[in-house]
Amino acid sequence: MDDPYHNNVNKQMTDGGQYTYTQDGGGQDGYPYQTNYPQQDEDAASDATEGADENDQMYEGEYQGIPHPDEIKEARRAARLEAKRKARLAAQYEEEEEENLPEQYESIMEDCGHGRFQWTLFFVLGLALMADGVDGFVVGFVMPSAEKDMCISNADKGLLGLLVYVSMMVGALVWGGLCDKMGRRKCLIYVLTIDLVFSFLSCFAQGYGFFLFLRFCSGFGIGGSIPIVYTYFTEFLQMDKRGEHLSWLCMFWMLGGLYASFTAWGIIPHYGWGFTIGTQFQMHSWRLFMFVCLFPALAALIGVVFMPESPRFLLENARHDEAWMILRQVHDTNWKAKGEPERVFTITNIKTPQTQEDEFIEIQSDTGTAFQRWTVRKMTMLQQVMANVMSLSAPELRLQGLFLVIVWFCMAFSYHGLGVWFPDMIKYMQYEEYESKVRVFHRERVERFHFNFSLVNQVHREGEYIHDKFANIEIKSVKFEESLFENCYFEDIKSTNTFFENCTIKNTVFYNTDLWQEKFKNCRMENTTFLHPKKGCHLNFQEENDIVIYLVSFLGSLAVLPGNIISALFMDKIGRIRIIGGSMLASSACTFLLLLSFSQGAVICWQCLFYAVSVAAWNGLEVISVELYPSSKRGTAFGILNGICKFAAIIASFIFAAFIGITKIIPIFLAFAALVCGGLLALKLPETREKILS
């Protein structure tokens, strides 16, 4: 008998799907088997199964090629484990990619160097920051003239200042969030355009309501400039340059204050520089000043148009090719300016986060209109911005974010509160000095007299004026109390802060004067005539404008120059935390010197000292705010912090202004407490001097 292991076997498939094996040359029918093993005789098979338990019997389907259920479960379990392993590897790879992007981006910026491109962007963004600084002073400078030109009451005057700060707060929150989704450059163009358009229109607004609306819209635009500017510029700087150059950038806000103070000083007092069209349209010098204040924003807008988008923003949004082209532009611009045009940008591949896919939901053209698609895009963007805001409360950002919010609030509360207190205190001292020189006339009787000279800073009580003539004169800060005017004649009178209280006016004519009903309080009139009255509010171009306020603002802005220089030089040497904490604690000590301010000169001196010391804290806060948060949330976080700054300014302006003329101890104590609290808490913030932008 031949050995079956050495016979040649032919493998054939039957109609039933089973395999048969036949020996070559046998000529006989084959037998079906599952494997290529030799046949066993019946005795051998019987011996193999003898004594075996039924449970140990071989699975019946094994002979038909059907897997055992246990094998199926085991295979599925193995597949699941393999899928989990692959998912972990993929997640780990994506995490490594994201972790590697900051390091790679930092090395790319070091390879690009710091040169002509960064300095060009520095001046362009500086002009945008300067425009924000100018807007912070405009309302305060034009208000003394605008309140007379548009008949603004004291309550409405306060409403204007409030709405401007509210609009800037809203603008910071909105544009800070949008720049993380739409791009830094695009949002900055929108911000400057909105500010320019509405500020330009406000120069010609004749009604107070329309003027208020236009200034609100302007504030909404320029309020977003600070978060965008710092976020934008940070992403073009390498680690060892960030602290110093962001501090230099802060100087442009100071230049905005200097520009506004100087131009206001040179333009507003010259009332005759304006013009009038008819009786309804008046273009006075304060409107011309507002027009001149548009120049920094206009120059910044022109410059930003020629600047590229932040490559870090593009990489965070998986726009690799655009980012590579911009980085190459930065590299070539800098090295050509340094005389090394032969240096080649060698980066060929930049890692991009895999999670930053565009999540916009589009409606196809055959299922929706263009308006529907636009609505979906905007609503989706809004959802993304809100999700970004909510992500700032993540555990790893919550505590340090809370500390930073408190420090921002304390710094803004004290700085802006004292910023209101300083000029108001000077005005109050001027008023007290003016009141101390008032001349009081009691029970005087003047008959058939021609008043052809101005009446200034006087009080007339229980006087009698019979057959008198008041013509071509100015009456400034004069009050007539319980006096009698009989058969008098008033002609071509210009009055400022002049009132008649509890007076009796008989057989008197008022011709071409600005003395109208509101000037007479509880007065009894008999046979009195008003001819050609100058109704409404009118500026008096002969009135001397108070240039002391312009001088105070100019000196206050100039005083921050030393603090800016020192903070810029030492920001990277001693760290952000020491700069912030040291500056706030030193500023708190300066507030006690305000208790010694018994004259206008002393107030101005301590104001300059406070601004010079506190500006370093502002620079440190702005630097650490852009370094602490990841690129995808940087604009949103800075916008929230800047919005909190404006909110603190609103609260402080009301509190500090309420104590003017009452006491100076409470405002000084509040400023001191806020600075000490913020300064001590700032020391708990993480140091970001050697932190790579995440």
Side-chain angles (χ1 to χ4, degrees), residues 295-409:
F295 294 164
L298 178 62
L301 178 61
I302 295 173
V304 172
V305 169
F306 294 97
M307 290 290 106
E309 180 58 84
S310 164
R312 186 59 183 270
F313 166 78
L314 297 174
L315 290 174
E316 291 290 339
N317 288 272
R319 294 159 66 179
H320 175 278
D321 294 341
E322 297 175 64
W324 186 89
M325 293 296 293
I326 293 171
L327 290 170
R328 180 182 177 182
Q329 175 188 350
V330 175
H331 176 277
D332 294 347
T333 301
N334 288 339
W335 289 111
K336 285 180 181 178
K338 294 177 182 179
E340 300 183 38
E342 68 280 358
R343 294 193 62 157
V344 180
F345 186 60
T346 57
I347 303 298
T348 57
N349 183 37
I350 306 175
K351 299 180 177 67
T352 57
Q354 300 297 319
T355 57
Q356 296 296 324
E357 297 293 337
D358 189 1
E359 299 176 0
F360 287 165
I361 303 174
E362 291 281 357
I363 298 179
Q364 299 300 326
S365 57
D366 56 345
T367 61
T369 64
F371 176 76
Q372 288 177 315
R373 294 194 298 273
W374 180 87
T375 303
V376 168
R377 284 196 298 269
K378 299 310 175 186
M379 292 303 297
T380 306
M381 179 181 293
L382 179 61
Q383 293 174 2
Q384 291 177 328
V385 171
M386 294 306 299
N388 231 8
V389 173
M390 297 304 296
S391 66
L392 294 175
S393 61
E396 64 273 12
L397 299 175
R398 186 181 303 158
L399 185 60
Q400 62 189 22
L402 178 61
F403 285 175
L404 194 57
V405 165
I406 296 175
V407 175
W408 267 85
F409 183 89

Side-chain angles (χ1 to χ4, degrees), residues 262-313:
F262 185 77
T263 53
W265 193 353
I267 295 176
I268 293 180
H270 297 279
Y271 182 86
W273 286 8
F275 58 88
T276 302
I277 301 177
T279 58
Q280 299 296 324
F281 185 83
Q282 299 175 350
M283 185 73 177
H284 296 142
S285 57
W286 65 271
R287 298 180 184 274
L288 179 61
F289 162 72
M290 292 179 61
F291 179 78
V292 173
C293 287
L294 299 177
F295 294 164
L298 178 62
L301 178 61
I302 295 173
V304 172
V305 169
F306 294 97
M307 290 290 106
E309 180 58 84
S310 164
R312 186 59 183 270
F313 166 78

Side-chain angles (χ1 to χ4, degrees), residues 514-683:
D514 59 4
L515 300 173
W516 63 91
Q517 186 175 0
E518 294 182 2
K519 301 284 186 176
F520 300 92
K521 300 180 179 179
N522 300 321
C523 293
R524 185 166 60 90
M525 297 187 180
E526 299 178 5
N527 196 25
T528 301
T529 306
F530 291 87
L531 300 174
H532 303 288
K534 299 178 181 177
K535 295 182 179 180
C537 303
H538 299 275
L539 278 174
N540 185 356
F541 58 85
Q542 292 181 349
E543 181 182 349
E544 182 181 356
N545 285 268
D546 187 7
I547 64 174
V548 175
I549 300 302
Y550 307 143
L551 178 62
V552 169
S553 300
F554 183 85
L555 293 177
S557 299
L558 189 62
V560 306
L561 180 61
N564 261 319
I565 295 175
I566 293 174
S567 63
L569 295 177
F570 290 94
M571 187 68 70
D572 288 322
K573 292 181 173 61
I574 66 177
R576 290 79 163 114
I577 304 306
R578 293 180 181 177
I579 288 284
I580 299 171
S583 175
M584 293 185 73
L585 294 176
S587 300
S588 66
C590 293
T591 57
F592 274 105
L593 297 175
L594 297 175
L595 295 173
L596 306 176
S597 55
F598 301 106
S599 65
Q600 297 181 41
V603 173
I604 295 174
C605 178
W606 303 136
Q607 174 196 11
C608 293
L609 179 62
F610 175 78
Y611 284 163
V613 175
S614 61
V615 68
W618 279 121
N619 293 355
L621 281 173
E622 285 154 352
V623 172
I624 197 175
S625 297
V626 294
E627 293 178 333
L628 199 58
Y629 291 94
S631 297
S632 59
K633 303 175 180 63
R634 186 169 295 125
T636 303
F638 204 113
I640 293 175
L641 293 171
N642 198 250
I644 290 172
C645 171
K646 298 298 188 294
F647 177 70
I650 294 171
I651 296 176
S653 63
F654 281 104
I655 295 177
F656 281 69
F659 291 100
I660 296 295
I662 300 176
T663 178
K664 57 185 177 183
I665 295 178
I666 294 179
I668 291 174
F669 175 76
L670 290 175
F672 171 80
L675 288 169
V676 171
C677 176
L680 294 177
L681 196 59
L683 300 177

Side-chain angles (χ1 to χ4, degrees), residues 439-472:
R439 299 179 60 188
V440 180
F441 299 86
H442 188 65
R443 292 185 177 180
E444 64 176 351
R445 180 181 174 88
V446 182
E447 189 172 355
R448 298 184 185 278
F449 185 79
H450 183 195
F451 290 87
N452 57 1
F453 52 87
S454 295
L455 305 178
V456 179
N457 197 21
Q458 299 176 3
V459 176
H460 299 263
R461 295 193 179 102
E462 300 180 9
E464 294 182 3
Y465 306 92
I466 313 298
H467 292 285
D468 293 328
K469 182 178 181 180
F470 301 80
N472 297 312

